Structures are given as structure tokens and as C-alpha cells.
Amino acid sequence: MLEQGQFWRNRELREHVAVIENKIAPTIVFQNSTYLNMHTKTWMKANIWVYKDRIVYVGDRMPNQLENTEVIDCTGQYLVPGYIEPHAHPFQLYNPEAFALYVAKYGTTTLINDNLRFLSLFDRKKAFSIIENFHKMAVSMFWWGRYDSQSVLQDEDETFNSDNILSWINHPAVVQGGELTSWPQLLAGDDRLLYWIQETKRLKKRVEGHLPGASIDTLTKLKLLGASADHEAMTGEDILKRLSLGYHVLLRYSSIRPDLPQLLDDLLQLNIDAYDQLMFTTDGSTPAFNEKGIMNRCIEIALEKGVPVVEAYRMASYNIAKYLGMDELIGSIAPGRLAHINILYEKDDPNPLSVLAKGRWMMKDGEEVEQTYRIDWEALGITRANFDFSITDDDLQFSIPIGLKMENDVIMKPYAVDIDITADHLPQGTDEAFLLLLDRFGKWRVNSVIHGFTSQLGALCSTYSTTDDIILIGKRKADMVLAFERMKEIGGGIVLAHDNQIIFELPLTLHGAMYPGKMEKLIEKEKKCVQILEEAGYSFNDPIYTLFFLSSTHLPYIRITQQGLVDVMKKEVIVPANMR
């Protein structure tokens, strides 16, 4: 990858011009195309020439040189630019490659990805080597640079220091900073964080907020301090507040916040027809939610709600590219852009018949095309996790009478535990379960109780968590040990045990954090896991996100973290971690 905004060397650029001069044949020509011109907001007729990974010509001519050129007659079909997901968390059980290949089948050919897992798990030399490999994929993989862990770590400054954070922000594949979950610290006077934001802005990169429930005054202050966009609008009034202050606004349709239909209803009721600063996002939904694609689904919903066709497509492509300052590279069908093109049956059906990404077919005439380039995880050193310790009796001593009570999937309130938690098991049919957070290296532990996750399950063990530590939840200590030992055997993942038997396992053998296989199989496994948990008393919507956010201190009111139980509102550790 060359520097920001530079994807082609001089020799390649001369070749692109030579194609127009009929000295070199294009790779693909879309003949008799009707395409959506994002700049004029109209459907236009043209022949579109692609050379390797770039669109080089859009106009009336056909090339004289057609040797080895694939000519596609697009009569009766409609071409739109590949869709862009501006806020992807590509580690929600799936790995970034599997996720990218899967959603590309549905037309999303560019992902702007969270870097948190790579930032947390690897030193930056290794992390940068990994993202360089992603640049070789047909799907365009860009990243955002985190400023905080969204938790409370034992050694936060080892990762979140100026040298590390600014190295990420300066990387050409990192196109914005955020998401800014630590905005309360920023407002409280954190000048180091403000310095990082200012450096991001100096590089002419955007800063995305994370501002649920923010007042006009808070939004204004954060705008002054550098925030560019936000994805936490939950009503039409929230959208209007943000637009009126100059924010770009991401409308969310995710597994825990499927707000998009209501947001669009609110917008239309408020007679807001200013779409240029609006974008869609699925905000890192869990696997099954993505079964029918991501940005294509958002466009479908927008069209169903009455958003004008052209605006719906722009909200999934051009608006995002323009926001990121990447509109000369992605987001439209025009000379000089990467060859991300979706071929549709109808203008109002965003589910593509064929998908081209960087000039390579991902889908063709409804059939998936096998990709020649694949990430070699083993060569990158991302393999099975190794946990070289076992659970002891001391680890399973529960006595602190403060627990976490689930209000919904992700909101936890502290509560006074009024049952005996010193026994080897908790009564079936009650909502309490043992909760244990273990350091992935076996150095410390935090013991508590969780109310509302299960009324029956013997045990769950998960290496999938905010901080990549180990979560154990269960009614029976013996089942917790069994699930933990099985998790070690498979090299990380989610394991369920009940009555001294393993009843489910989901191997996350890429460093204990990511599933190594295809999305289709993962979706099946996730559905089975959720079914078992619901039958065992989980009464909310998304248990996978419950696990992920148990340690996330950007959410109220109490969290279990590396430092112990944390009162989020008071920013205090109320029960410290125990060293093992």
C-alpha cells in the first residue's frame, strides 16, 4: 500500500492513460450500462472500462483494443458503486477476512474497521504486518484508530500511549480516529487524549464519536474538541440535533440496536430531506444478524420507508467516501476510482446479481467466485491460544455480596446478593449464577455474581470478551471447571457444560478470539449457542454481545474488569481484582 490517497505508482498510472489511448486493452468493459452517477444524482447510460483494479473510463466509446477483454452486456441491468460499511467491528466471533468475503457477496466491498482487537493482542509491528495482508484482498479494508480500551485495564499505558496511538493514526490504512468512547474523560480535561485527537485532525482524518444521550451542550463541546460524526442517534430528534451542529450521522441497524426503521420513520415525520451527511451502519452485529448481508439490508429498509432511491444508495456509498475524504478512490462509478461495482436486477433492489471488487469478481451471475488470495493466519502467527494454567479451589471462592444485575443485553446495575454463594452450586430456577473473570495469562481473577444471564445452565466458558480475558458463568462449580478445561483443549472459544457433560462448543482458534472458518458455518453455530442459552433462561436478545460488553466501561452502571468490579458512573473500583 502506498501513502494515503496513492494506490498506483507512476508506471501504473501511465498504463491507465494508455488504455484510454487504445494502446492497452481494458480488463473488463461493461457495455450498454445504466449506472447511478453519484455526482449528478441521476441514472446515466455509458460504457464503463476497467483496467485491473481501477475504473479508467466512463462514457460513450468502446475500446479499439479488446484482446483478452471481458465484455459484459449490461442491457436491462443497473450498476451502482460497491457499498461501504463505515463502522465495522470485524471480530464479533468472525474474523475480518471471513466477514469481508461474506458481506461482499451482498455488495459491500469496502469496510472501515475497528482496530481494537489487533491493537490489544499484538505489538504494532505485527499488527501492521497483518493489515498489510488485508490490503491484498479484493475487498477494500481500511481501519479506524482507537484512543481507549473501552474498559479498565491493569496496564493501560502499555498499549494506550502516545507513541503507539499516533503510530496507528499515521498509518495510511487508518482513515479516522475513534470511536470516542472516552469522551467523558476528554470533557474532564484529559489533554493527552485531546492531543491525539488534534494530531488526527492535523492529518486531515475524521474523528468518530460515541455519544449516546448527549445534550446539545455536550455535542457542541465535543464538536469544538474535534468530533466529526456519531452513530448513537436513537431518535429523529437526536439526528436533527447532530445534523444542525454539523455532525455526520450514522444511522444504525445492528443486532442490539436495530433502530434504522424507526429512525427513518422519525426523519420522514420531521420532514428532514437533507441526506448528504447521513450514512448507514450495522455497527459490528453478531453473525446471524448479518445472514442476508449488511449495507444491502440497510438500503432495502430505506427504500421500504420511502427514502428516495438515489439517496438510499448514496447513504451506503458516496456519502461515506465523501465524509472520509476518500471520494476520489471509492464510493462512485467514475474514472480513477477503485473498481467496486454492483450489478443489480432493478434500481430498487440493492441485492446484486454480480459484484466486482478491485476488478475481481466476488459474485458473477448469482454464483460466488472463489478468491485466489487468502489470509494465511498460521504464517502470521495467529493460531490456537495456549492457556497453561488450571482453575483452583481458591479461584471458585465467591463471597462478595455485590453482583451485576442485567437490565437488558448490555446494561448492568449493581445489586445486593442475598443468597448463599459459598456453596458448590446455586439453586436451579433462580436468576443468579457465579461470574468469574480470569486473566488470559492466569495472573489475576475477579469473582462476582450475575443476575439474569441463566436460571439453569451448569457453565459457560468464553475467551470472547472485550479484553480477551476469560469469562466463566454458571450454576455449578464442577461444570465451570469442566468447561474451562475443554476450552483449553480446543485452543479458545465458547464452551457450554451441564450436568458434567459438554453440550456445546464454538472453537475460536485464531488467538482465542476469532472463528477460523466460513461465516455460513459460524452462523449455524451461533444460532445453536443462542438457542441453548435461551432454553437455559437467557431472556434478552443477544447473549454474545452480553459477553462482549461485560467489561466495557463505556456502558452503565457496573462492569467486571481487569482491575475489579467498577462503578462506571463514579469511576471507582468497588471490589479489586485478586492476584492468583
PDB file of all heavy atoms in Angstrom, residues 180-194 197 218 221-222 225 569-571:
ATOM      1  N   LEU A 180     -14.924   7.318  19.835  1.00  0.00           N
ATOM      2  CA  LEU A 180     -14.501   8.077  21.002  1.00  0.00           C
ATOM      3  C   LEU A 180     -15.386   7.719  22.199  1.00  0.00           C
ATOM      4  O   LEU A 180     -16.237   8.499  22.635  1.00  0.00           O
ATOM      5  CB  LEU A 180     -14.572   9.569  20.690  1.00  0.00           C
ATOM      6  CG  LEU A 180     -13.999  10.526  21.738  1.00  0.00           C
ATOM      7  CD1 LEU A 180     -12.535  10.236  22.014  1.00  0.00           C
ATOM      8  CD2 LEU A 180     -14.173  11.969  21.264  1.00  0.00           C
ATOM      9  N   THR A 181     -15.166   6.526  22.764  1.00  0.00           N
ATOM     10  CA  THR A 181     -15.941   6.114  23.937  1.00  0.00           C
ATOM     11  C   THR A 181     -15.465   6.823  25.202  1.00  0.00           C
ATOM     12  O   THR A 181     -16.191   6.868  26.198  1.00  0.00           O
ATOM     13  CB  THR A 181     -15.865   4.591  24.135  1.00  0.00           C
ATOM     14  OG1 THR A 181     -14.494   4.189  24.198  1.00  0.00           O
ATOM     15  CG2 THR A 181     -16.539   3.855  23.005  1.00  0.00           C
ATOM     16  N   SER A 182     -14.272   7.383  25.175  1.00  0.00           N
ATOM     17  CA  SER A 182     -13.714   8.053  26.355  1.00  0.00           C
ATOM     18  C   SER A 182     -14.004   9.552  26.372  1.00  0.00           C
ATOM     19  O   SER A 182     -13.284  10.323  27.019  1.00  0.00           O
ATOM     20  CB  SER A 182     -12.199   7.820  26.422  1.00  0.00           C
ATOM     21  OG  SER A 182     -11.582   8.229  25.219  1.00  0.00           O
ATOM     22  N   TRP A 183     -15.076   9.975  25.722  1.00  0.00           N
ATOM     23  CA  TRP A 183     -15.381  11.403  25.675  1.00  0.00           C
ATOM     24  C   TRP A 183     -15.622  12.031  27.063  1.00  0.00           C
ATOM     25  O   TRP A 183     -15.313  13.219  27.250  1.00  0.00           O
ATOM     26  CB  TRP A 183     -16.549  11.685  24.740  1.00  0.00           C
ATOM     27  CG  TRP A 183     -17.853  11.039  25.116  1.00  0.00           C
ATOM     28  CD1 TRP A 183     -18.317   9.842  24.685  1.00  0.00           C
ATOM     29  CD2 TRP A 183     -18.853  11.580  25.980  1.00  0.00           C
ATOM     30  NE1 TRP A 183     -19.546   9.577  25.238  1.00  0.00           N
ATOM     31  CE2 TRP A 183     -19.896  10.633  26.036  1.00  0.00           C
ATOM     32  CE3 TRP A 183     -18.983  12.758  26.724  1.00  0.00           C
ATOM     33  CZ2 TRP A 183     -21.043  10.831  26.798  1.00  0.00           C
ATOM     34  CZ3 TRP A 183     -20.124  12.959  27.487  1.00  0.00           C
ATOM     35  CH2 TRP A 183     -21.140  12.007  27.514  1.00  0.00           C
ATOM     36  N   PRO A 184     -16.140  11.298  28.066  1.00  0.00           N
ATOM     37  CA  PRO A 184     -16.251  11.947  29.394  1.00  0.00           C
ATOM     38  C   PRO A 184     -14.888  12.381  29.945  1.00  0.00           C
ATOM     39  O   PRO A 184     -14.770  13.450  30.551  1.00  0.00           O
ATOM     40  CB  PRO A 184     -16.889  10.858  30.261  1.00  0.00           C
ATOM     41  CG  PRO A 184     -17.669  10.011  29.304  1.00  0.00           C
ATOM     42  CD  PRO A 184     -16.799   9.969  28.090  1.00  0.00           C
ATOM     43  N   GLN A 185     -13.846  11.549  29.736  1.00  0.00           N
ATOM     44  CA  GLN A 185     -12.504  11.927  30.168  1.00  0.00           C
ATOM     45  C   GLN A 185     -12.001  13.146  29.397  1.00  0.00           C
ATOM     46  O   GLN A 185     -11.316  14.018  29.944  1.00  0.00           O
ATOM     47  CB  GLN A 185     -11.526  10.758  29.989  1.00  0.00           C
ATOM     48  CG  GLN A 185     -11.804   9.575  30.919  1.00  0.00           C
ATOM     49  CD  GLN A 185     -12.662   8.517  30.268  1.00  0.00           C
ATOM     50  OE1 GLN A 185     -13.801   8.785  29.871  1.00  0.00           O
ATOM     51  NE2 GLN A 185     -12.128   7.307  30.164  1.00  0.00           N
ATOM     52  N   LEU A 186     -12.345  13.198  28.108  1.00  0.00           N
ATOM     53  CA  LEU A 186     -11.947  14.348  27.297  1.00  0.00           C
ATOM     54  C   LEU A 186     -12.548  15.630  27.866  1.00  0.00           C
ATOM     55  O   LEU A 186     -11.857  16.635  28.029  1.00  0.00           O
ATOM     56  CB  LEU A 186     -12.391  14.135  25.845  1.00  0.00           C
ATOM     57  CG  LEU A 186     -12.068  15.257  24.862  1.00  0.00           C
ATOM     58  CD1 LEU A 186     -10.574  15.431  24.704  1.00  0.00           C
ATOM     59  CD2 LEU A 186     -12.724  14.969  23.506  1.00  0.00           C
ATOM     60  N   LEU A 187     -13.841  15.586  28.185  1.00  0.00           N
ATOM     61  CA  LEU A 187     -14.501  16.767  28.737  1.00  0.00           C
ATOM     62  C   LEU A 187     -13.991  17.100  30.135  1.00  0.00           C
ATOM     63  O   LEU A 187     -14.044  18.263  30.561  1.00  0.00           O
ATOM     64  CB  LEU A 187     -16.019  16.553  28.767  1.00  0.00           C
ATOM     65  CG  LEU A 187     -16.723  16.495  27.405  1.00  0.00           C
ATOM     66  CD1 LEU A 187     -18.218  16.319  27.591  1.00  0.00           C
ATOM     67  CD2 LEU A 187     -16.438  17.742  26.576  1.00  0.00           C
ATOM     68  N   ALA A 188     -13.499  16.076  30.839  1.00  0.00           N
ATOM     69  CA  ALA A 188     -12.990  16.298  32.199  1.00  0.00           C
ATOM     70  C   ALA A 188     -11.568  16.845  32.217  1.00  0.00           C
ATOM     71  O   ALA A 188     -11.014  17.097  33.285  1.00  0.00           O
ATOM     72  CB  ALA A 188     -13.061  14.997  32.992  1.00  0.00           C
ATOM     73  N   GLY A 189     -10.966  17.009  31.019  1.00  0.00           N
ATOM     74  CA  GLY A 189      -9.653  17.661  30.981  1.00  0.00           C
ATOM     75  C   GLY A 189      -8.483  16.788  30.579  1.00  0.00           C
ATOM     76  O   GLY A 189      -7.332  17.154  30.800  1.00  0.00           O
ATOM     77  N   ASP A 190      -8.744  15.639  29.943  1.00  0.00           N
ATOM     78  CA  ASP A 190      -7.662  14.745  29.521  1.00  0.00           C
ATOM     79  C   ASP A 190      -6.953  15.350  28.307  1.00  0.00           C
ATOM     80  O   ASP A 190      -7.387  15.189  27.163  1.00  0.00           O
ATOM     81  CB  ASP A 190      -8.237  13.365  29.179  1.00  0.00           C
ATOM     82  CG  ASP A 190      -7.164  12.324  28.900  1.00  0.00           C
ATOM     83  OD1 ASP A 190      -6.053  12.711  28.476  1.00  0.00           O
ATOM     84  OD2 ASP A 190      -7.435  11.123  29.074  1.00  0.00           O
ATOM     85  N   ASP A 191      -5.837  16.027  28.543  1.00  0.00           N
ATOM     86  CA  ASP A 191      -5.136  16.731  27.459  1.00  0.00           C
ATOM     87  C   ASP A 191      -4.332  15.786  26.576  1.00  0.00           C
ATOM     88  O   ASP A 191      -4.050  16.124  25.413  1.00  0.00           O
ATOM     89  CB  ASP A 191      -4.225  17.812  28.036  1.00  0.00           C
ATOM     90  CG  ASP A 191      -4.984  19.086  28.376  1.00  0.00           C
ATOM     91  OD1 ASP A 191      -6.095  19.270  27.829  1.00  0.00           O
ATOM     92  OD2 ASP A 191      -4.496  19.883  29.182  1.00  0.00           O
ATOM     93  N   ARG A 192      -3.946  14.640  27.098  1.00  0.00           N
ATOM     94  CA  ARG A 192      -3.259  13.681  26.237  1.00  0.00           C
ATOM     95  C   ARG A 192      -4.218  13.174  25.158  1.00  0.00           C
ATOM     96  O   ARG A 192      -3.853  13.106  23.970  1.00  0.00           O
ATOM     97  CB  ARG A 192      -2.708  12.506  27.053  1.00  0.00           C
ATOM     98  CG  ARG A 192      -1.888  11.537  26.204  1.00  0.00           C
ATOM     99  CD  ARG A 192      -1.285  10.409  26.999  1.00  0.00           C
ATOM    100  NE  ARG A 192      -2.307   9.493  27.506  1.00  0.00           N
ATOM    101  CZ  ARG A 192      -2.041   8.254  27.932  1.00  0.00           C
ATOM    102  NH1 ARG A 192      -0.799   7.806  27.940  1.00  0.00           N
ATOM    103  NH2 ARG A 192      -3.002   7.483  28.381  1.00  0.00           N
ATOM    104  N   LEU A 193      -5.443  12.865  25.555  1.00  0.00           N
ATOM    105  CA  LEU A 193      -6.457  12.441  24.595  1.00  0.00           C
ATOM    106  C   LEU A 193      -6.739  13.556  23.591  1.00  0.00           C
ATOM    107  O   LEU A 193      -6.856  13.306  22.383  1.00  0.00           O
ATOM    108  CB  LEU A 193      -7.728  12.035  25.337  1.00  0.00           C
ATOM    109  CG  LEU A 193      -8.945  11.647  24.500  1.00  0.00           C
ATOM    110  CD1 LEU A 193      -8.615  10.538  23.509  1.00  0.00           C
ATOM    111  CD2 LEU A 193     -10.102  11.219  25.411  1.00  0.00           C
ATOM    112  N   LEU A 194      -6.835  14.781  24.065  1.00  0.00           N
ATOM    113  CA  LEU A 194      -7.067  15.909  23.163  1.00  0.00           C
ATOM    114  C   LEU A 194      -5.910  16.056  22.171  1.00  0.00           C
ATOM    115  O   LEU A 194      -6.128  16.343  20.986  1.00  0.00           O
ATOM    116  CB  LEU A 194      -7.240  17.197  23.974  1.00  0.00           C
ATOM    117  CG  LEU A 194      -7.510  18.469  23.170  1.00  0.00           C
ATOM    118  CD1 LEU A 194      -8.746  18.328  22.293  1.00  0.00           C
ATOM    119  CD2 LEU A 194      -7.653  19.666  24.111  1.00  0.00           C
ATOM    120  N   ILE A 197      -6.359  13.547  19.427  1.00  0.00           N
ATOM    121  CA  ILE A 197      -7.429  13.984  18.520  1.00  0.00           C
ATOM    122  C   ILE A 197      -6.925  15.098  17.610  1.00  0.00           C
ATOM    123  O   ILE A 197      -7.176  15.089  16.393  1.00  0.00           O
ATOM    124  CB  ILE A 197      -8.662  14.433  19.329  1.00  0.00           C
ATOM    125  CG1 ILE A 197      -9.308  13.223  20.012  1.00  0.00           C
ATOM    126  CG2 ILE A 197      -9.674  15.143  18.435  1.00  0.00           C
ATOM    127  CD1 ILE A 197     -10.386  13.588  21.011  1.00  0.00           C
ATOM    128  N   THR A 218     -23.247  19.167  25.279  1.00  0.00           N
ATOM    129  CA  THR A 218     -22.187  18.159  25.179  1.00  0.00           C
ATOM    130  C   THR A 218     -21.754  17.972  23.734  1.00  0.00           C
ATOM    131  O   THR A 218     -20.549  17.924  23.432  1.00  0.00           O
ATOM    132  CB  THR A 218     -22.659  16.818  25.771  1.00  0.00           C
ATOM    133  OG1 THR A 218     -22.912  16.997  27.176  1.00  0.00           O
ATOM    134  CG2 THR A 218     -21.614  15.734  25.592  1.00  0.00           C
ATOM    135  N   LYS A 221     -19.620  20.990  22.745  1.00  0.00           N
ATOM    136  CA  LYS A 221     -18.268  20.933  23.300  1.00  0.00           C
ATOM    137  C   LYS A 221     -17.399  19.937  22.545  1.00  0.00           C
ATOM    138  O   LYS A 221     -16.230  20.213  22.232  1.00  0.00           O
ATOM    139  CB  LYS A 221     -18.334  20.554  24.783  1.00  0.00           C
ATOM    140  CG  LYS A 221     -18.938  21.608  25.681  1.00  0.00           C
ATOM    141  CD  LYS A 221     -19.070  21.057  27.106  1.00  0.00           C
ATOM    142  CE  LYS A 221     -19.826  22.005  28.014  1.00  0.00           C
ATOM    143  NZ  LYS A 221     -20.017  21.417  29.369  1.00  0.00           N
ATOM    144  N   LEU A 222     -17.955  18.781  22.251  1.00  0.00           N
ATOM    145  CA  LEU A 222     -17.172  17.750  21.560  1.00  0.00           C
ATOM    146  C   LEU A 222     -16.892  18.140  20.121  1.00  0.00           C
ATOM    147  O   LEU A 222     -15.846  17.791  19.569  1.00  0.00           O
ATOM    148  CB  LEU A 222     -17.893  16.405  21.647  1.00  0.00           C
ATOM    149  CG  LEU A 222     -17.882  15.817  23.063  1.00  0.00           C
ATOM    150  CD1 LEU A 222     -18.876  14.670  23.194  1.00  0.00           C
ATOM    151  CD2 LEU A 222     -16.482  15.346  23.448  1.00  0.00           C
ATOM    152  N   LEU A 225     -13.933  20.219  20.265  1.00  0.00           N
ATOM    153  CA  LEU A 225     -12.734  19.450  20.570  1.00  0.00           C
ATOM    154  C   LEU A 225     -12.357  18.466  19.463  1.00  0.00           C
ATOM    155  O   LEU A 225     -11.359  17.764  19.594  1.00  0.00           O
ATOM    156  CB  LEU A 225     -12.925  18.705  21.901  1.00  0.00           C
ATOM    157  CG  LEU A 225     -13.052  19.609  23.129  1.00  0.00           C
ATOM    158  CD1 LEU A 225     -13.381  18.778  24.366  1.00  0.00           C
ATOM    159  CD2 LEU A 225     -11.793  20.426  23.360  1.00  0.00           C
ATOM    160  N   MET A 569     -20.287   5.006  36.815  1.00  0.00           N
ATOM    161  CA  MET A 569     -20.710   6.396  36.970  1.00  0.00           C
ATOM    162  C   MET A 569     -19.763   7.161  37.895  1.00  0.00           C
ATOM    163  O   MET A 569     -19.475   8.331  37.666  1.00  0.00           O
ATOM    164  CB  MET A 569     -22.146   6.456  37.515  1.00  0.00           C
ATOM    165  CG  MET A 569     -23.133   5.581  36.727  1.00  0.00           C
ATOM    166  SD  MET A 569     -23.069   5.796  34.926  1.00  0.00           S
ATOM    167  CE  MET A 569     -23.852   7.391  34.750  1.00  0.00           C
ATOM    168  N   LYS A 570     -19.264   6.482  38.937  1.00  0.00           N
ATOM    169  CA  LYS A 570     -18.338   7.139  39.870  1.00  0.00           C
ATOM    170  C   LYS A 570     -16.875   6.958  39.475  1.00  0.00           C
ATOM    171  O   LYS A 570     -15.986   7.552  40.088  1.00  0.00           O
ATOM    172  CB  LYS A 570     -18.548   6.586  41.282  1.00  0.00           C
ATOM    173  CG  LYS A 570     -19.906   6.913  41.879  1.00  0.00           C
ATOM    174  CD  LYS A 570     -20.021   6.343  43.291  1.00  0.00           C
ATOM    175  CE  LYS A 570     -21.373   6.678  43.904  1.00  0.00           C
ATOM    176  NZ  LYS A 570     -21.516   6.111  45.268  1.00  0.00           N
ATOM    177  N   LYS A 571     -16.646   6.107  38.473  1.00  0.00           N
ATOM    178  CA  LYS A 571     -15.286   5.806  38.013  1.00  0.00           C
ATOM    179  C   LYS A 571     -14.415   5.283  39.161  1.00  0.00           C
ATOM    180  O   LYS A 571     -13.266   5.695  39.333  1.00  0.00           O
ATOM    181  CB  LYS A 571     -14.651   7.041  37.363  1.00  0.00           C
ATOM    182  CG  LYS A 571     -15.417   7.551  36.141  1.00  0.00           C
ATOM    183  CD  LYS A 571     -14.776   8.782  35.548  1.00  0.00           C
ATOM    184  CE  LYS A 571     -15.500   9.239  34.298  1.00  0.00           C
ATOM    185  NZ  LYS A 571     -16.911   9.570  34.527  1.00  0.00           N
TER     186      LYS A 571
END
